[in-house]
Amino acid sequence: MEELREFYATYDEGKLWRNLEEGFNRGVRKAIQRVKRTGTVLDVGCGSGDFLRCMKVAGFSPFGIEPSGTGSEYGRGTNGVDIYHGMIEDYLTANGGRRFDVITLLNVLEHLTDPVGILSQLLQVLAADGVVVIVVPDARFHDLVGRLRRFVGVSDPYWIEEGSRFLSGFRVPEHLCSFQPRTIASLLGRCGFRVVAMEAAPVISNEELHRNAAKLLMFWMSQALHYFTFRRVLLGYSTLVLAQKIPSAMSDDV
């Protein structure tokens, strides 16, 4: 944990955090608004606060948690959102009494050392009719890409050592666990949630045009596969999941 604290204290995605996520943020907001039109939002691992600013514009009350010093500073100063600078484990230990209508973990859950423990704690700070929103890389897709690259003789098929990390869902040392739709649904159920929606996640833009084109192509292919299989098959770059409390979990809170 101490190594992770040091790593994330100086972590910063630069332009990606500050200029390239608007389309992704709006896509996630649109999904949330199908379930919640207003309320308080907790964004775990909020980066520079761009998503929270996007939610604030739509009338939500934003609050974030971010271990990066530069990220949290930018979020407070430039985006004007309230951010707790530190790890999610520290915040939940000190502030377990606050409740939120929406809790988001956008490309964050795979970074956590204890997903079960954190989700179980977040269940307790989620309002009774609230929604938790998760985006994670689809491990099946990235494993398939790696297998194809290995088949054609690529020496680093999963992009473990290369710096570009394009189409890579297994990032070292950040990603500590991986999920596919079936396992993320199982994890949420184990922690007291029921999935209310699951779909391909919106695309995060890159500076390079060819990367954006490839991501968009994969997104629409995933959407088409999901549609033509009557929502039975979901396979794509990343997965967006919305979940709410199981009624029995709500009664335990009372």
Side-chain angles (χ1 to χ4, degrees):
M1 281 301 299
E2 189 56 37
E3 289 180 352
L4 286 176
R5 290 177 191 276
E6 294 176 2
F7 176 79
Y8 285 116
T10 57
Y11 190 85
D12 197 311
E13 289 281 5
K15 289 184 179 180
L16 179 66
W17 272 2
R18 295 163 176 80
N19 305 111
L20 300 174
E21 294 185 330
E22 188 63 24
F24 171 82
N25 293 338
R26 291 181 180 181
V28 173
R29 183 180 69 185
K30 182 178 179 181
I32 293 172
Q33 288 178 315
R34 296 199 299 261
V35 181
K36 280 286 180 185
R37 302 298 300 182
T38 188
T40 54
V41 181
L42 167 62
D43 187 21
V44 179
C46 65
S48 61
D50 276 10
F51 174 72
L52 289 172
R53 176 183 51 78
C54 182
M55 295 297 286
K56 183 178 180 180
V57 169
F60 289 83
S61 299
F63 180 74
I65 299 173
E66 176 53 50
S68 167
T70 55
S72 57
E73 182 179 352
Y74 184 94
R76 289 191 293 261
T78 302
N79 284 325
V81 293
D82 189 11
I83 296 178
Y84 172 87
H85 177 212
M87 303 288 278
I88 175 62
E89 294 86 353
D90 298 332
Y91 174 82
L92 290 173
T93 298
N95 302 275
R98 188 172 179 180
R99 296 291 182 268
F100 298 93
D101 299 298
V102 180
I103 298 177
T104 56
L105 300 97
L106 309 179
N107 294 305
V108 166
L109 194 67
E110 65 272 19
H111 294 250
L112 302 181
T113 59
D114 182 15
V116 173
I118 294 299
L119 284 175
S120 299
Q121 288 181 275
L122 290 175
L123 180 77
Q124 305 305 316
V125 300
L126 183 67
D129 60 344
V131 58
V132 63
V133 184
I134 296 173
V135 171
V136 288
D138 186 340
R140 294 174 309 163
F141 171 83
H142 295 285
D143 180 53
L144 176 61
V145 171
R147 288 172 183 268
L148 291 173
R149 285 171 56 87
R150 176 185 289 163
F151 179 77
V152 299
V154 176
S155 60
D156 183 22
Y158 291 96
W159 282 271
I160 300 301
E161 298 177 2
E162 296 182 16
S164 63
R165 295 170 176 170
F166 180 47
L167 290 184
S168 175
F170 309 112
R171 295 179 57 171
V172 178
E174 300 103 299
H175 292 187
L176 305 179
C177 48
S178 300
F179 303 94
Q180 57 175 292
R182 176 179 58 83
T183 56
I184 190 65
S186 176
L187 173 65
L188 286 164
R190 177 181 174 184
C191 296
F193 297 94
R194 62 180 180 89
V195 174
V196 297
M198 186 178 293
E199 59 196 60
V203 171
I204 296 178
S205 299
N206 292 96
E207 292 184 88
E208 298 88 348
L209 181 61
H210 71 280
R211 291 191 176 192
N212 293 332
K215 282 187 175 182
L216 285 170
L217 176 62
M218 287 184 292
F219 174 78
W220 289 115
M221 289 176 62
S222 176
Q223 291 284 73
L225 178 64
H226 197 42
Y227 176 80
F228 286 114
T229 58
F230 301 98
R231 298 186 178 275
R232 292 190 180 95
V233 178
L234 179 60
L235 176 68
Y237 189 91
S238 295
T239 306
L240 169 66
V241 187
L242 281 76
Q244 294 181 311
K245 287 187 176 183
I246 296 173
S248 60
M250 287 191 284
S251 63
D252 291 342
D253 292 341
V254 177

